[in-house]
């Protein structure tokens, strides 16, 4: 499985961005997907997760109500809509996939994409 994240950029506080993660593989619809982020000097942290069907989602408290994870299985793509961005959201954002069935709050993922940088200016 190969994952390609895109959509990062520079945005002012209060603005919005939509990240995309395109996945290879004909069984994308069976993958659980997640987004993580890592700021300089900090550990990687969980942001959001979505079930294989898209019917269930789970968010970190820090982004709940501002970010929305979704997926389009026909396009092999998962999205992260980020609204009301704050300077503390500045980080490299990574998408991840897993083939095993796990609870949405499990941090275990099998495949990782490269990061896309999000910078929020104050």
């Amino acid at each position: 499985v190969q994952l390609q994240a895109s959509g990062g950029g520079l945005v002012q506080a209060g603005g919005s961005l939509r990240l995309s993660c395109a996945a290879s593989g004909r069984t994308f619809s069976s993958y659980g997907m997640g987004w993580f982020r890592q700021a300089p000097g900090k550990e990687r942290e969980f942001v959001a997760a979505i079930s294989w069907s898209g019917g269930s989602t789970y968010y970190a408290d820090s982004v709940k109500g501002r970010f929305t994870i979704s997926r389009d299985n026909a396009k092999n793509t998962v999205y992260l809509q980020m609204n009301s961005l704050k300077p503390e959201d500045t980080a490299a954002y990574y998408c991840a996939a897993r083939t095993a069935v796990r609870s949405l709050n499990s941090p275990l993922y099998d495949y990782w994409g490269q990061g896309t940088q999000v910078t929020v200016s104050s």
Side-chain angles (χ1 to χ4, degrees), residues 41-77:
K42 295 187 177 181
E43 293 186 353
R44 186 175 62 196
E45 65 172 351
F46 168 79
V47 175
I50 189 166
S51 62
W52 64 271
S53 68
S56 298
T57 57
Y58 181 70
Y59 297 93
D61 288 343
S62 58
V63 306
K64 200 174 296 183
R66 299 188 298 122
F67 290 11
T68 302
I69 188 171
S70 61
R71 66 190 296 160
D72 185 337
N73 286 343
K75 295 183 178 179
N76 281 18
T77 302

Side-chain angles (χ1 to χ4, degrees), residues 5 25 35 104:
W35 285 98
L104 288 179

Side-chain angles (χ1 to χ4, degrees), residues 4 6 9-10 16 25 34 50 63 68 77 80 85-86 88 93 112-113:
Q4 181 74 37
S6 62
L10 174 64
S16 299
I50 189 166
V63 306
T68 302
T77 302
L80 185 68
L85 283 161
K86 304 175 181 180
E88 50 262 46
Y93 283 71
W112 294 84

